[in-house]
């Protein structure tokens, strides 16, 4: 079933953010100098504000690069441990054995009728908080300032927002965009004519329409924050994607080209939203790895 906001209206209601979030004091992870896996590390008080951390051996604050991955799920479902994402992380870790990986969860929107908990920008704010958490502990983790942001679908949208808009803490060296939306007004308008139900769900997520709440649509659209100083970006999209229209990637490519940002657009003509063909994933990972090798020095 096609869903850009919500694949099902019958999601469980998740725990809402703690009102005393600012007072949150995390239990500091016990980090060794050896290769290490740290699961479900809390960066906030909500149960969904957690991350998995994979640290390689022989780390250095000068050379150990950082890969941040954000899962998809229409801002309303999904998990860092999903079967669709775990093999991707495992494959990337094998390809980039000297990198540190951080796999992020974030608060998910949930709907009960027309009532929405964790409306946007809760998800964007969580990624900002997670990035700050990692950055503040970069000496403890023994990692460098050479970071990459990556995500799939809604996770790509959040990675692009972090890379283009919320990059005061740290600016990424590159961004990997796997079939993510980047212009929320265009996305809403495409659904408004083709799928009013989808448009209504985006309306709920963003607290209105582009007409009634233009500031939210502007602020939640990564494309509005692309500048000549933006990070090199590689974009992947399938020609048969019926969840995120391929035009979302076309317009991002055009904007990046217009301001002179290095980018690559990989288009798989016969693929839908994501791809199940192992050969396509193999090609995708090869191209992503080559892009990182060329742009993250």
């Amino acid at each position: 079933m096609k869903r850009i906001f919500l694949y099902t209206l019958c999601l469980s209601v998740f725990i809402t953010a703690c009102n005393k979030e600012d007072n949150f004091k995390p239990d500091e992870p016990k980090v060794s100098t050896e290769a290490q896996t740290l699961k479900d590390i809390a960066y906030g008080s909500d149960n969904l504000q957690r991350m998995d951390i994979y640290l390689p051996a022989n780390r250095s604050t000068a050379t150990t690069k950082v890969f941040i991955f954000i899962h998809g799920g229409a801002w309303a479902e999904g998990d860092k441990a999903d079967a669709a994402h775990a093999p991707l992380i495992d494959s990337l870790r094998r390809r980039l054995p000297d990198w540190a990986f951080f796999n992020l969860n974030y608060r998910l929107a949930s709907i009960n009728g027309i009532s929405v908990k964790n409306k946007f920008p809760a998800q964007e704010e969580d990624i900002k908080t997670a990035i700050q958490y990692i950055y503040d502990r970069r000496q403890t983790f023994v990692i460098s300032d050479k970071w990459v942001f990556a995500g799939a679908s809604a996770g790509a949208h959040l990675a692009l927002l972090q890379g283009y808009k919320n990059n005061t803490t740290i600016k990424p060296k590159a961004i990997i965009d796997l079939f993510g939306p980047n212009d929320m007004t265009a996305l809403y308008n495409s659904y408004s004519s083709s799928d009013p139900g989808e448009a209504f769900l985006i309306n709920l997520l963003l607290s209105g329409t582009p007409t009634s709440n233009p500031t939210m649509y502007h602020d939640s659209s990564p494309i509005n924050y692309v500048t000549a100083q933006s990070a090199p970006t590689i974009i992947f999209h399938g020609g048969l994607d019926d969840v995120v229209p391929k035009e979302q990637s076309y317009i991002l490519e055009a904007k990046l080209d217009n301001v002179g940002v290095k980018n690559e657009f990989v288009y798989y003509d016969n693929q839908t939203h994501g791809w199940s063909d192992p050969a396509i994933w193999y090609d995708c990972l090869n191209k992503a790895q080559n892009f990182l090798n060329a742009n993250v020095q």
Side-chain angles (χ1 to χ4, degrees):
M1 180 185 298
K2 182 172 68 174
R3 280 287 178 267
I4 184 57
F5 166 64
L6 190 63
Y7 291 116
T8 172
L9 289 175
C10 298
L11 295 177
S12 298
V13 176
F14 294 99
I15 301 172
T16 56
C18 177
N19 291 331
K20 297 182 179 180
E21 180 72 23
D22 291 342
N23 297 323
F24 173 71
K25 300 261 190 314
D27 292 331
E28 294 299 327
K30 296 179 180 179
V31 180
S32 74
T33 57
E34 303 302 318
Q36 192 174 15
T37 297
L38 302 167
K39 291 294 188 77
D40 288 327
I41 301 302
Y43 65 86
S45 61
D46 192 284
N47 192 50
L48 288 169
Q49 293 170 318
R50 295 180 180 271
M51 64 178 73
D52 292 343
I53 303 171
Y54 305 90
L55 302 173
N58 304 313
R59 299 191 303 284
S60 163
T61 55
T63 61
T64 300
K65 300 168 186 175
V66 176
F67 195 106
I68 307 291
F69 184 78
I70 309 169
H71 72 79
W75 305 281
E77 58 183 9
D79 188 89
K80 58 184 171 57
D82 281 350
H85 299 124
L88 177 61
I89 296 295
D90 289 344
S91 180
L92 286 166
R93 289 179 61 208
R94 288 193 296 271
R95 289 166 174 269
L96 305 169
D98 298 326
W99 288 53
F101 282 81
F102 296 79
N103 189 8
L104 309 185
N105 268 0
Y106 48 89
R107 284 173 294 165
L108 303 172
S110 59
I111 285 185
N112 183 10
I114 60 172
S115 175
V116 183
K117 292 184 178 181
N118 296 332
K119 288 185 179 184
F120 206 85
Q123 298 74 29
E124 177 186 356
E125 292 298 326
D126 280 1
I127 300 305
K128 287 172 60 178
T129 300
I131 295 300
Q132 188 68 54
Y133 173 95
I134 300 166
Y135 183 81
D136 289 344
R137 293 159 180 79
R138 62 195 184 281
Q139 296 297 325
T140 299
F141 292 135
V142 194
I143 55 177
S144 75
D145 61 355
K146 301 169 184 177
W147 293 28
V148 168
F149 298 156
S153 193
H157 167 261
L158 295 172
L160 292 167
L161 273 178
Q162 186 66 35
Y164 297 156
K165 175 186 177 185
N166 302 314
N167 56 19
T168 302
T169 297
I170 189 165
K171 180 181 175 181
K173 301 298 184 183
I175 302 173
I176 300 174
D177 167 15
L178 293 162
F179 39 87
N182 66 83
D183 185 330
M184 298 305 290
T185 296
L187 185 68
Y188 177 89
N189 289 337
S190 71
Y191 281 132
S192 184
S193 59
S194 65
D195 192 334
E198 292 291 337
F200 177 71
L201 293 172
I202 298 174
N203 179 349
L204 293 177
L205 177 70
L206 298 184
S207 302
T209 69
T211 300
S212 67
N213 195 357
T215 299
M216 176 63 77
Y217 279 78
H218 175 277
D219 292 353
S220 63
S221 296
I223 198 168
N224 292 327
Y225 298 92
V226 172
T227 70
Q229 289 72 48
S230 292
T233 304
I234 185 168
I235 307 163
F236 295 89
H237 218 115
L240 301 180
D241 195 325
D242 62 350
V243 176
V244 178
K246 58 183 180 291
E247 287 76 17
Q248 289 280 311
S249 289
Y250 286 140
I251 59 177
L252 178 57
E253 179 194 32
K255 181 66 175 287
L256 293 167
D257 285 343
N258 186 54
V259 298
V261 173
K262 186 174 182 180
N263 70 91
E264 183 178 344
F265 182 21
V266 182
Y267 181 73
Y268 298 117
D269 187 57
N270 295 316
Q271 296 302 307
T272 56
H273 189 65
W275 22 87
S276 57
D277 184 347
I280 296 296
W281 273 115
Y282 183 77
D283 182 76
C284 171
L285 291 174
N286 281 344
K287 287 182 167 60
Q289 183 176 4
N290 291 339
F291 190 82
L292 296 184
N293 289 340
N295 292 284
V296 187
Q297 303 300 326

